[in-house]
Amino acid sequence: MTNRIDFPKKAAKVYRAMIALDAAAREGLDETLAELVRIRASQLNHCAYCINMHTTDARKQGESEARIYLLNAWQEAGDIYTEKEQAALLLTEAITVMSSHEYVSDEVYEQAAKHFEEEELAQLIALIFTINSWNRIAVSTRMAPDVH
């Protein structure tokens, strides 16, 4: 693997801005829900560094192993996730995999809006685009999880 870039050092102003964005994006959101969103976006983006970080953080907050393990197949996991969590995960997937033929449909947006007040929904969207940015930074700079 190519040597990794020390992003915090080589792009210090951008890194500090990302830290501030991350803090602002998670304001007012339930931390359990936020970790599920971070893990799911990181799975979709194949970001091993962020998957490791956020599953570790989720465990520290008391998240169950079953809910972490089943997150990759949350739609088939029955009612292990609340309807609100399912709406957040659906929105996470829609925003994360946006392309010329896939987008955030009205149905997905309306499902989220049914479970989140406007301010909370805006924060959730901010959290999703922030973790996607972190994933892209980690993957492109070759950050590897420390699992030793």
Side-chain angles (χ1 to χ4, degrees), residues 52-63:
N52 183 62
M53 176 193 307
H54 293 296
T55 55
T56 299
D57 290 348
R59 284 182 186 99
K60 287 178 185 173
Q61 293 173 7
E63 186 59 83

Side-chain angles (χ1 to χ4, degrees), residues 15-118:
Y15 182 75
R16 286 192 303 274
M18 282 296 301
I19 295 290
L21 176 63
D22 190 66
R26 64 178 187 260
E27 282 183 15
L29 290 175
D30 174 75
E31 199 52 40
T32 298
L33 178 107
E35 288 301 345
L36 292 175
V37 164
R38 290 180 189 117
I39 295 166
R40 186 65 189 126
S42 299
Q43 289 172 335
L44 293 166
N45 288 320
H46 306 279
C47 183
Y49 182 86
C50 293
I51 293 169
N52 183 62
M53 176 193 307
H54 293 296
T55 55
T56 299
D57 290 348
R59 284 182 186 99
K60 287 178 185 173
Q61 293 173 7
E63 186 59 83
S64 75
E65 292 297 312
R67 283 172 38 102
I68 291 171
Y69 295 147
L70 291 172
L71 193 54
N72 202 34
W74 68 269
Q75 290 180 327
E76 290 78 30
D79 63 357
I80 191 168
Y81 304 100
T82 67
E83 286 185 14
K84 186 173 185 175
E85 289 168 340
Q86 290 176 32
L89 293 169
L90 191 62
L91 184 63
T92 299
E93 291 181 356
I95 292 172
T96 300
V97 298
M98 266 197 288
S99 68
S100 62
H101 62 281
E102 293 185 52
Y103 54 93
V104 180
S105 69
D106 289 344
E107 180 182 337
V108 169
Y109 186 87
E110 289 166 10
Q111 180 72 12
K114 189 166 84 173
H115 293 281
F116 295 89
E117 297 294 328
E118 278 190 20

